[in-house]
Amino acid sequence: MSEEFKHISVLMTETLDALAINPEGIYIDGTFGRGGHSGEILKRLSTGRLQAIDQDPQAIKAAEKFADDTRFSIARNRFSQIKSVAEQAGILGQVDGILLDIGVSSPQLDDADRGFSFMKDGPLDMRMDPDSGRSAAQWLAEAELEEMVFVIKKYGEEKFATRIARKIIETREHTTITTTAQLAQLIDDAVPVKDKHKHPATRTFQAIRIYINSELEEIQTALQASLEVLKPGGRLVVISFHSLEDRIVKQFIKKQSKGEAIPRGLPLTDEQLKQNLTLKAVGKAIKPSDEEIAQNPRSRSSVLRVAEKL
């Protein structure tokens, strides 16, 4: 059993401000983690209700600290299933705010048994839900060269993707790749030019994790579902941690704020044009302060975006 690992929720004040919490409202924390954001939301609710979601069994266990709070419940599920969770909870279309804190959490990174990080040696797993799907080790043992190159290049934006993929395939012909240290070392061996400020395995580990957990598809599905889950005036608050995630969120909000493209010259009134819109962006992208980054270096890459349902 893994030990308890420290987790510091990022952009806490900014998140709570963005949710504009109504003490009697209904909220969904789609990525419970260790409950940092959920705990603060609950402090601001009186007769309101918080529905949390997480697929990680360790997160479900962490939620036991709120077990006696009748305003709180948690579902073990992927956040892409937010519509289904809301339907089962009887709150579809009634939600005042949705929070999605996307990506791998600090406890997952720090727990060597989860296999997310190359900083500590452990089994090469990387699954957010360790009870379903293929592990990273299983995928690396089976993937063809072209698939591996595609994943590492697309999700890791790694320029040496082909070299790394070839090295993995060459290695697995005589050695089974089962640990994070093994993978990190062979990536190090494959990359000809090193970045002084970044471990050569950083991008590849990110790419494999995103692929194994279908993370970008999960985000797209959840964002689309949020339109049905929120009530008019409800807030969508999303924290992302790298450019691929943030690009999806930014483009989604932009598209829903502008509506579908309409041919020029059509005789439509302003009211008819507005009927095509589903969201409005609230403010600009928010990033952590220098003070927060100093206290929690992992917050450095976080970006918060807010939208409101029309």
Side-chain angles (χ1 to χ4, degrees):
M1 180 64 67
S2 300
E3 59 182 297
E4 185 64 30
F5 295 89
K6 186 178 180 180
H7 176 66
I8 303 173
S9 298
V10 304
L11 294 164
M12 180 66 80
T13 300
E14 295 84 350
T15 297
L16 296 169
D17 289 345
L19 284 169
I21 294 171
N22 169 9
E24 299 175 355
I26 300 173
Y27 295 86
I28 295 179
D29 183 349
T31 45
F32 178 81
R34 293 301 181 268
H37 287 116
S38 281
E40 292 302 315
I41 292 171
L42 282 169
K43 287 179 183 178
R44 287 158 176 77
L45 296 180
S46 55
T47 58
R49 178 176 172 189
L50 175 62
Q51 172 68 58
I53 305 170
D54 209 296
Q55 60 180 313
D56 189 332
Q58 292 181 13
I60 300 301
K61 182 173 178 57
E64 291 175 0
K65 61 189 171 187
F66 299 135
D68 296 331
D69 194 325
T70 56
R71 303 167 301 166
F72 175 84
S73 58
I74 188 166
R76 184 177 178 186
N77 214 325
R78 293 172 175 263
F79 66 81
S80 61
Q81 300 306 302
I82 190 169
K83 180 183 175 182
S84 174
V85 171
E87 283 179 322
Q88 292 175 16
I91 57 175
L92 185 64
Q94 303 174 40
V95 175
D96 293 87
I98 294 172
L99 168 62
L100 300 175
D101 182 0
I102 298 166
V104 64
S105 69
S106 290
Q108 288 170 329
L109 281 172
D110 293 338
D111 185 351
D113 290 343
R114 302 301 298 273
F116 284 105
S117 174
F118 49 81
M119 300 302 288
K120 298 178 182 178
D121 192 20
L124 195 54
D125 195 308
M126 295 197 193
R127 290 172 294 175
M128 299 285 190
D129 180 353
D131 298 325
S132 67
R134 285 188 299 176
S135 69
Q138 289 171 324
W139 179 70
L140 288 174
E142 301 165 358
E144 299 289 341
L145 176 65
E146 293 77 10
E147 180 186 11
M148 209 178 291
V149 171
F150 173 80
V151 168
I152 297 172
K153 186 173 291 186
K154 179 178 180 180
Y155 300 130
E157 299 177 303
E158 172 57 72
K159 61 183 178 181
F160 298 117
T162 301
R163 284 175 175 264
I164 292 168
R166 283 178 176 158
K167 184 68 174 178
I168 290 170
I169 289 175
E170 173 191 314
T171 301
R172 78 185 188 190
E173 288 178 357
H174 56 79
T175 305
T176 304
I177 305 168
T178 59
T179 72
T180 54
Q182 277 180 290
L183 180 58
Q185 184 58 58
L186 68 86
I187 294 170
D188 193 12
D189 293 341
V191 173
V193 181
K194 317 294 184 189
D195 185 328
K196 291 181 180 179
H197 307 292
K198 185 176 291 186
H199 191 287
T202 301
R203 295 182 185 275
T204 300
F205 267 67
Q206 171 187 295
I208 296 172
R209 188 202 85 218
I210 289 173
Y211 177 73
I212 288 295
N213 294 288
S214 302
E215 290 181 37
L216 301 189
E217 294 82 359
E218 287 279 302
I219 297 168
Q220 291 167 332
T221 302
L223 291 175
Q224 194 63 45
S226 71
L227 299 177
E228 296 182 72
V229 176
L230 288 168
K231 72 179 188 181
R235 291 285 182 90
L236 173 64
V237 179
V238 186
I239 302 171
S240 54
F241 285 84
H242 59 72
S243 59
L244 294 175
E245 296 171 342
D246 184 52
R247 194 175 306 141
I248 290 171
V249 178
K250 180 180 179 180
Q251 291 175 351
F252 175 79
I253 293 175
K254 183 178 180 180
K255 179 182 177 181
Q256 299 302 325
S257 299
K258 291 189 172 182
E260 297 295 333
I262 296 174
R264 285 187 178 183
L266 286 183
L268 297 176
T269 66
D270 288 344
E271 196 61 37
Q272 287 173 313
L273 290 171
K274 288 179 181 178
Q275 288 177 2
N276 206 25
L277 309 181
T278 56
L279 293 176
K280 71 172 181 180
V282 178
K284 297 182 179 180
I286 300 171
K287 298 186 178 181
S289 65
D290 292 340
E291 182 181 358
E292 177 169 1
I293 293 171
Q295 294 176 348
N296 179 18
R298 284 179 178 168
S299 71
R300 182 181 294 107
S301 59
S302 61
V303 180
L304 184 150
R305 293 187 186 273
V306 189
E308 185 175 296
K309 184 176 176 180
L310 296 171

